[in-house]
Amino acid sequence: MPLTAARRTALAVRLDLAILAVGVGVAVPSVVVWLAGGGTTNAAGVVAMALIVVMSRFPLVLTHKSGDIVIGFETCALVFLVLSAPPIEALALWAMGTTIANATSRKAWRSRVFNIGLTIQGGGLFVLVFSSVGAGTDHEALELLAVMLGCAVYFIFDLLMTAGSLALEDGCSIAEVLRWRSVPLGLACFVGVDTLGYLAALMQRSLPAWTLFLLLVPVGTILVAVASVSRTKLAQGRLSGLLEAATQAPDWTDEAQIESALVSKAERTLRHSEAVLRETPAVPPEIGAAVELAGQPTRFLVVRRMTSSQDFDEDDQAALEALVAVGVAALGRRQLSDEMRYLARHDVLTGLHNRAVFADRLTHALARRSPQRIVAVLYCDLDGFKEVNDLLGHEAGDRLLVAVADRVRSCLRPEDTAARLGGDEFGILLDSLNRSAQAEEVAQRLLDALVPVFQSSGHEIRVQASIGIAYADTEHLSAEQLLNSADTAMYAAKALGKGRTERFVPSMRADDLMRLELESALRVAVREEQINVHYQPVVDLNTGVVNGFEALARWTHPHLGVIPPDTFIPVAERLGLIRTLGLQILERAHLGGRLLSARAGRPLRLSVNLSAMQVTDPGLADRVSALLREHREVPLVLELTEGLLLGDDGPTISALHRLKACGALLAVDDFGTGYSSVGYLHRLPVDILKIDKLFVRELNNPRSLALMQGVIAMARAMHLTVTTEGVEKWESAEAVRDLGCDFAQGYLFGVPVDLPGALEIAGRGRIDLEYLRVLER
């Protein structure tokens, strides 16, 4: 039964103590005998003891994964002592010197105990071998041979005992511990350096004592060289571990493997050490390096020496930090790889699945459907989301999308799939329904979930959604076809008033194709500036003088025919073309306005309608300012829908003030048909109220008449000009004039005409009101 690590360590400690005990048993008798004989020694003996301490600091280190095999060259002092003093005295001085050298080292206590006992025993073996072979001989060659033999015995004894101790603690054989290729070189160096002691003894015998100082140069050179070789071997071991880690790092596949590899490579790089990843930093005598990765708490790779090892140095710390850098790079690559895989399947903003994953899951759901398994797709589009982006900014729009995605998740089951298909469009896959009504129930939950107000940067945002539902109720239906069917049903929901759900029926396909054709045609029309401008006169009700013209966008397509603004303007807004189209109409209308004023010989007001998306566009204010600066002869009136002016929207109000500062007049178009804006008209830089034609049609209703009278009175009190739209009969013109209205426009005074027709009206300068009165009667 193999021994446990704790048991092996306990046996190794006992072996260390046993070796110390044997060493003490060898040293004490020799010291006692030497002291009993007088205990005196000459200067050479004192110098030899000092050399033992000094030379022990420059060992040759043979590195190993479990520990360092350290071979010292202080034995050359032992050789000198044996050749220049009696054996007992030499052994006593050696025992005392080596005890001082090891006791004062910075090694762990076990290493010191082991080395004291081992070096004393080695000294005893050397004395025994030399005394048996070369003592008392006058033949120098035989004496040198005895020295070399004694040194070899010492070296082999030291090596085997050290390897045995390490093997016992590691639980392996001595053959696994020793690097046999290093033994011959180590033995040669050891014997070669130790023969310096023999040389010193010969010099002492035949030359003056001062000549011994000549040996300082070769001895110092050898010690420095040994220290350099040892450091190189240690550096080589560290470098080998780092290179191994750097080479293998690209193959580390997951975070657990990377962490395990960091620990093992730290132990491999820093030799006989134990490493661990933990949350607390290293404390002496440990060393550590921080493992810092974005989005994760900082951890520390901490390394400590095993019992028989030396302290760490700066090179060890640097190697550990380099290893951690390799590991952090591997962790970073792994994290980046995980993020890339996540991004390949998810929407970055909302965290929902993306369109590709949605299509893939839909394809698989269609492939495995059965008569008992209903597959449905919900296509959800937010109503009015573009206005949120335009009025509050894209950051607020992004926050709204995230909040909507959270509410969508809350309405679904774990097995359902929700995805952001693009912009403000969401797709929902229901592939395990028992009855079709469940899809309508999910859609209604979604609509209900969007009812509570969204909060964003101090603004309350209310949104609703149009949802289209399509079922996989035919064979050989592809994922793309089913998704397109749900998309078509969604547009049908928008066309029927928004904020509702519609189920796809085949008849919707024709409408869908018409919508796609209209969108394609509109893109071409905007790109090629095919949208024209017609002009309708605005007349002074008291004099018939033409006060100005309203510019109205008109589009006639070669195949689709006449397309009214109520049809193509919302499409332009949905496609993001309205700003480009708006500037095109403004430029063309203003050019016509300049020609109209020139034909009339006086300034004529030119009214141009603005979409809600245009108002906050900085390019609009810049262009309006440039037009009014270059052509002051054309007063420009910018007409805004009443709905745009609702609420306390800072960006919109600031934009209106910028337009007003450019010199433009601002008019509220279709006043009275949207919501009551009377409460905050006084805060807006408005100049003109245009009363909607609905009031004109119902002037025979006393309530409508009273309401219109009140609106005109309020406008006059606020010093606003009043224009009535949709005047088609003379009696209506007389009625609104009697109520105090200033100006009017409508079919009674002229239908919208192209520029040549408008130039003819401007040339006449006025409309004959009496003729109109007589003609109608």
Side-chain angles (χ1 to χ4, degrees):
M1 180 177 179
L3 296 175
T4 63
R7 179 60 176 166
R8 291 197 305 270
T9 301
L11 291 175
V13 171
R14 292 180 182 178
L15 176 62
D16 294 342
L17 295 176
I19 289 174
L20 174 64
V22 173
V24 171
V26 172
V28 170
S30 62
V31 173
V32 170
V33 171
W34 172 61
L35 291 176
T40 60
T41 185
N42 54 23
V46 175
V47 172
M49 285 184 60
L51 284 175
I52 292 172
V53 176
V54 172
M55 297 183 77
S56 67
R57 301 294 189 264
F58 297 89
L60 174 65
V61 180
L62 301 179
T63 59
H64 173 255
K65 63 179 181 179
S66 299
D68 296 338
I69 301 175
V70 181
I71 305 298
F73 296 115
E74 60 271 21
T75 318
C76 67
L78 174 61
V79 172
F80 175 77
L81 287 173
V82 170
L83 292 174
S84 59
I88 294 299
E89 179 181 348
L91 184 57
L93 293 174
W94 168 254
M96 290 188 293
T98 195
T99 299
I100 295 172
N102 285 288
T104 57
S105 70
R106 294 186 298 173
K107 296 179 181 179
W109 71 268
R110 282 186 54 194
S111 293
R112 286 180 282 175
V113 165
F114 178 83
N115 288 335
I116 289 173
L118 188 64
T119 52
I120 292 175
Q121 291 180 53
L125 283 175
F126 180 86
V127 172
L128 179 62
V129 171
F130 182 80
S131 299
S132 302
V133 178
T137 182
D138 294 331
H139 199 286
E140 294 179 354
L142 183 60
E143 190 177 48
L144 177 58
L145 180 61
V147 168
M148 296 177 66
L149 181 60
C151 290
V153 171
Y154 183 103
F155 176 83
I156 293 172
F157 171 76
D158 192 311
L159 183 65
L160 292 177
M161 292 298 293
T162 303
S165 176
L166 292 174
L168 176 61
E169 189 157 2
D170 287 350
C172 59
S173 66
I174 294 178
E176 293 179 286
V177 171
L178 282 177
R179 294 185 177 180
W180 295 104
R181 294 181 181 179
S182 302
V183 172
L185 177 61
L187 179 60
C189 292
F190 184 80
V191 174
V193 173
D194 289 345
T195 54
L196 288 174
Y198 178 72
L199 178 60
L202 293 180
M203 293 175 67
Q204 184 187 33
R205 293 174 185 173
S206 57
L207 297 173
W210 64 268
T211 57
L212 291 176
F213 289 102
L214 297 176
L215 293 177
L216 291 179
V217 174
V219 170
T221 301
I222 291 172
L223 293 180
V224 171
V226 166
S228 177
V229 168
S230 297
R231 286 195 300 269
T232 301
K233 284 185 173 291
L234 293 177
Q236 183 180 6
R238 298 188 193 99
L239 182 59
S240 176
L242 290 175
L243 288 176
E244 184 179 281
T247 302
Q248 297 176 359
D251 298 327
W252 296 341
T253 56
D254 54 51
E255 187 170 334
Q257 183 185 17
I258 294 171
E259 293 177 355
S260 175
L262 270 179
V263 171
S264 64
K265 297 306 177 185
E267 294 175 349
R268 160 72 174 83
T269 301
L270 298 180
R271 309 177 316 282
H272 46 287
S273 59
E274 294 178 343
V276 65
L277 264 174
R278 68 191 193 198
E279 297 179 356
T280 56
V283 294
E286 301 171 332
I287 59 172
V291 180
E292 297 177 324
L293 199 64
Q296 294 187 5
T298 299
R299 289 176 298 172
F300 299 88
L301 180 60
V302 178
V303 183
R304 70 176 183 86
R305 289 290 196 204
M306 295 190 326
T307 306
S308 61
S309 303
Q310 297 176 333
D311 293 337
F312 291 109
D313 56 24
E314 294 180 356
D315 293 333
D316 292 326
Q317 178 66 42
L320 181 61
E321 292 174 355
L323 178 63
V324 167
V326 171
V328 168
L331 287 169
R333 285 194 301 271
R334 177 62 187 177
Q335 186 180 62
L336 179 60
S337 176
D338 291 342
E339 290 176 357
M340 291 177 66
R341 281 197 295 271
Y342 178 85
L343 294 177
R345 299 181 58 83
H346 293 81
D347 172 58
V348 179
L349 179 64
T350 63
L352 297 177
H353 291 294
N354 58 23
R355 194 182 191 97
V357 173
F358 187 83
D360 181 67
R361 293 194 176 183
L362 179 54
T363 299
H364 284 83
L366 293 175
R368 64 175 184 268
R369 65 178 170 160
S370 64
Q372 296 77 29
R373 186 182 188 135
I374 299 175
V375 177
V377 169
L378 277 61
Y379 203 111
C380 175
D381 183 272
L382 300 183
D383 300 325
F385 176 74
K386 287 183 173 59
E387 284 80 357
V388 174
N389 268 345
D390 293 332
L391 299 179
L392 300 181
H394 288 279
E395 185 176 348
D398 288 346
R399 288 195 295 270
L400 175 61
L401 288 175
V402 173
V404 169
D406 290 339
R407 295 192 187 182
V408 169
R409 288 191 192 93
S410 68
C411 297
L412 304 181
R413 303 167 302 173
E415 61 266 31
D416 300 331
T417 299
R420 184 186 177 198
L421 303 179
D424 59 336
E425 298 175 341
F426 299 87
I428 297 165
L429 170 60
L430 309 172
D431 67 342
S432 58
L433 301 179
N434 299 319
R435 50 191 176 85
S436 60
Q438 287 180 284
E440 279 82 358
E441 293 169 2
V442 172
Q444 188 57 50
R445 286 204 301 271
L446 289 173
L447 294 178
D448 294 340
L450 296 178
V451 171
V453 175
F454 292 88
Q455 299 290 339
S456 178
S457 302
H459 295 277
E460 291 188 350
I461 303 175
R462 296 181 183 274
V463 296
Q464 56 185 9
S466 298
I467 301 176
I469 305 175
Y471 294 93
D473 49 10
T474 60
E475 296 293 334
H476 309 298
L477 187 68
S478 69
E480 183 178 1
Q481 290 171 330
L482 185 59
L483 189 60
N484 287 340
S485 297
D487 186 27
T488 299
M490 181 271 293
Y491 276 106
K494 283 187 178 293
L496 292 173
K498 302 181 180 181
R500 57 181 293 152
T501 299
E502 285 296 317
R503 177 175 178 172
F504 174 79
V505 293
S507 61
M508 292 179 179
R509 186 67 67 192
D511 297 335
D512 192 37
L513 293 175
M514 178 61 72
R515 175 180 61 82
L516 293 176
E517 186 176 4
L518 178 62
E519 290 178 354
S520 177
L522 183 60
R523 287 190 175 94
V524 174
V526 172
R527 183 174 65 249
E528 299 181 1
E529 299 188 20
Q530 297 175 356
I531 310 296
N532 295 315
V533 176
H534 282 201
Y535 303 86
Q536 185 175 36
V538 178
V539 178
D540 189 317
L541 286 173
N542 295 303
T543 63
V545 173
V546 176
N547 177 261
F549 291 85
E550 179 179 0
L552 300 167
R554 292 293 183 266
W555 181 25
T556 302
H557 189 267
H559 304 296
L560 301 178
V562 176
I563 303 172
D566 291 347
T567 298
F568 70 80
I569 292 297
V571 176
E573 292 178 340
R574 187 174 68 249
L575 297 179
L577 300 173
I578 190 62
R579 290 175 176 171
T580 301
L581 176 59
L583 286 177
Q584 289 178 3
I585 294 174
L586 176 64
E587 295 277 358
R588 185 171 294 185
H590 198 273
L591 175 60
R594 297 199 296 271
L595 296 175
L596 292 171
S597 293
R599 176 64 63 87
R602 58 186 173 86
L604 295 179
R605 286 184 176 180
L606 177 70
S607 299
V608 180
N609 291 282
L610 293 183
S611 165
M613 297 183 182
Q614 290 179 265
V615 174
T616 55
D617 181 12
L620 174 66
D622 295 340
R623 191 60 194 136
V624 167
S625 178
L627 289 173
L628 293 176
R629 187 170 57 252
E630 297 169 5
H631 306 282
R632 297 181 181 276
E633 71 276 12
V634 183
L636 183 60
V637 180
L638 302 177
E639 297 190 6
L640 312 129
T641 60
E642 185 179 3
L644 175 65
L645 305 177
L646 288 177
D648 187 16
D649 184 70
T652 300
I653 294 177
S654 299
L656 293 177
H657 281 285
R658 284 196 299 272
L659 292 172
K660 180 72 174 178
C662 294
L665 300 174
L666 301 182
V668 180
D669 195 16
D670 300 331
F671 184 81
T673 61
Y675 306 88
S676 176
S677 55
V678 175
Y680 50 84
L681 267 179
H682 68 283
R683 296 189 292 105
L684 300 174
V686 176
D687 304 285
I688 301 169
L689 285 186
K690 299 190 71 174
I691 299 177
D692 189 77
K693 58 186 177 183
L694 177 65
F695 287 93
V696 178
R697 293 175 182 173
E698 298 183 1
L699 282 177
N700 56 346
N701 185 326
R703 290 188 176 183
S704 297
L705 184 64
L707 181 59
M708 189 167 184
Q709 185 177 13
V711 169
I712 294 174
M714 175 201 68
R716 287 193 172 278
M718 297 178 66
H719 306 290
L720 300 178
T721 301
V722 180
T723 299
T724 301
E725 299 178 294
V727 177
E728 299 179 358
K729 297 181 180 180
W730 175 251
E731 62 178 356
S732 298
E734 282 187 316
V736 297
R737 182 186 62 189
D738 294 343
L739 289 174
C741 184
D742 304 305
F743 303 97
Q745 67 183 89
Y747 286 179
L748 177 65
F749 309 109
V751 298
V753 295
D754 58 12
L755 183 58
L759 288 172
E760 183 180 344
I761 295 173
R764 293 199 304 267
R766 61 185 301 276
I767 301 296
D768 190 342
L769 299 181
E770 183 62 22
Y771 173 76
L772 294 177
R773 182 180 66 81
V774 173
L775 181 64
E776 188 165 312
R777 288 183 178 178

